[in-house]
Amino acid sequence: MPLLDVHNLKTYFFTPGGLVKAVGGIDFSIDAGRTLALVGESGCGKSMTALSLLRLVPEPGRIVDGRIVFDGEDLLHLPEPEMRRIRGNQIAMIFQEPMTSLNPVFRIGEQIAEVLTLHKGLPPRAALDAAADLLHQVGIPAAERRVREYPHQLSGGMRQRVMIAMALACDPRLLIADEPTTALDVTIQAQIMELLDRLRRDRGMATLLITHDLGVVAESADMVAIMYAGLILEYAPVKTIFANPRHPYTRGLLGCIPRLGEKRRRLVPVEGQVPSVIDLPPGCSFLDRCPDPFARCGHEVPPLVETEAGHLVRCWKG
């Protein structure tokens, strides 16, 4: 049984400009100790999916349908006090930009210690000692000194490690990492992803990795879900996605990647723009950008169909 099983999740925003289907009905699951990468362009619904899992959808958004089953329990049916106990304790999240997630007026150690005091009931001194130990675990040197520093005194890579330490403070069973390497240089990106992978293996965590970087996906993920305009278009093991992509959008994304030792005059972009989620077309949302559409694509949304064992595709041509 998967640790997390999401079925037909729909998150809509009821705005004066119209109904925004940010998440249009998606299905996926993650086993303990495994990593699912949720991949897609900006605005496709990746981050809103993560916030939906934690029931942190901002107004005027609302989860209107679906099930989020975590360890056999549907999170959508839990009372809010019980959900608060799960957030940060059993399910933790690393947000995109650590400088906006860390409070600039509190020391690093105080912010990590607060998590330990709230969820584990540690007294202040023990919580600060545990915070220093967590900083050491995520590779921050001189951790005993760093706990007394403020966020602005740390580099971007260090701040991201602090966010990882905070997320792992209560030994969660599921870690959601939303673009954890955004705005970091390539060397630091590799270090952060290696750290997350090591911590996942050591702790047996499940990980939902949200990213648009297929290079990160190739190195870190077990399963991949390709998302577009609020829907999952392809879902498969990582090796299958790279060796045998079935959806034209997935093939387009892979065609944008430069390959070492391969000579090409230019990268091939995915032509066109992502459709507005306020005014989605009646059929396939990828219709206007598809290189090989046919009549049915403009009238019916294709279902997510298993074309081979473990490989699901949302395309009439499969």
Side-chain angles (χ1 to χ4, degrees):
M1 181 178 176
L3 177 65
L4 177 71
D5 192 11
V6 177
H7 178 67
N8 196 36
L9 177 63
K10 295 181 180 180
T11 301
Y12 294 172
F13 282 76
F14 299 85
T15 73
L19 181 64
V20 177
K21 297 181 179 181
V23 181
I26 63 173
D27 302 78
F28 63 86
S29 61
I30 313 176
D31 294 330
R34 310 289 278 179
T35 297
L36 169 69
L38 193 58
V39 182
E41 295 172 81
S42 296
C44 72
K46 306 187 301 296
S47 294
M48 198 49 59
T49 297
L51 293 175
S52 298
L53 297 182
L54 291 168
R55 280 176 40 188
L56 292 175
V57 179
E59 292 290 341
R62 193 165 74 242
I63 299 171
V64 298
D65 198 6
R67 289 186 291 118
I68 303 171
V69 180
F70 177 73
D71 196 22
E73 196 167 30
D74 192 342
L75 300 184
L76 297 183
H77 293 158
L78 292 182
E80 182 56 28
E82 185 68 12
M83 192 65 210
R84 279 199 298 271
R85 185 185 62 80
I86 287 176
R87 287 190 208 108
N89 192 14
Q90 296 189 52
I91 304 176
M93 183 167 177
I94 304 168
F95 292 90
Q96 284 190 34
E97 176 45 62
M99 201 57 189
T100 61
S101 302
L102 293 169
N103 193 319
V105 300
F106 288 99
R107 300 175 196 270
I108 294 297
E110 293 170 344
Q111 297 188 55
I112 300 174
E114 183 182 19
V115 177
L116 293 162
T117 300
L118 180 65
H119 288 291
K120 293 203 164 184
L122 293 184
R125 183 67 257 175
L128 275 173
D129 290 342
D133 183 57
L134 282 163
L135 292 184
H136 176 73
Q137 289 181 42
V138 297
I140 293 182
E144 291 75 13
R145 174 169 59 83
R146 295 291 187 180
V147 293
R148 298 191 296 273
E149 294 183 343
Y150 292 92
H152 73 270
Q153 295 177 275
L154 305 182
S155 67
M158 288 287 191
R159 286 195 293 265
Q160 192 61 285
R161 289 173 187 267
V162 170
M163 289 302 301
I164 294 170
M166 196 177 298
L168 299 180
C170 296
D171 201 16
R173 301 181 64 193
L174 171 64
L175 177 66
I176 302 171
D178 188 0
E179 301 278 9
T181 58
T182 296
L184 301 177
D185 65 53
V186 175
T187 304
I188 303 300
Q189 284 184 22
Q191 292 173 3
I192 293 296
M193 292 312 303
E194 184 180 339
L195 170 64
L196 286 173
D197 195 49
R198 174 176 62 79
L199 291 169
R200 175 191 60 80
R201 292 195 309 270
D202 292 348
R203 294 168 175 246
M205 290 184 307
T207 304
L208 175 61
L209 174 62
I210 297 172
T211 183
H212 61 269
D213 188 334
L214 286 167
V216 168
V217 170
E219 291 290 329
S220 307
D222 299 297
M223 298 290 293
V224 183
I226 305 293
M227 196 166 184
Y228 184 83
L231 290 173
I232 289 174
L233 301 188
E234 190 160 6
Y235 184 83
V238 64
K239 290 182 179 178
T240 303
I241 283 285
F242 281 86
N244 184 31
R246 301 292 295 268
H247 198 281
Y249 180 56
T250 309
R251 291 196 291 267
L253 290 178
L254 292 171
C256 296
I257 303 174
R259 288 178 171 80
L260 200 63
E262 181 180 317
K263 290 185 177 180
R264 284 192 278 181
R265 288 184 178 274
R266 62 191 294 268
L267 298 177
V268 182
V270 182
E271 299 290 348
Q273 300 291 326
V274 180
S276 168
V277 287
I278 295 180
D279 188 25
L280 288 171
C284 176
S285 56
F286 191 64
L287 175 66
D288 291 340
R289 305 176 78 184
C290 182
D292 190 27
F294 69 110
R296 191 176 189 183
C297 302
H299 303 290
E300 298 178 63
V301 177
L304 194 63
V305 175
E306 190 169 37
T307 57
E308 55 183 304
H311 193 170
L312 288 79
V313 184
R314 191 184 296 278
C315 181
W316 290 117
K317 294 191 174 181

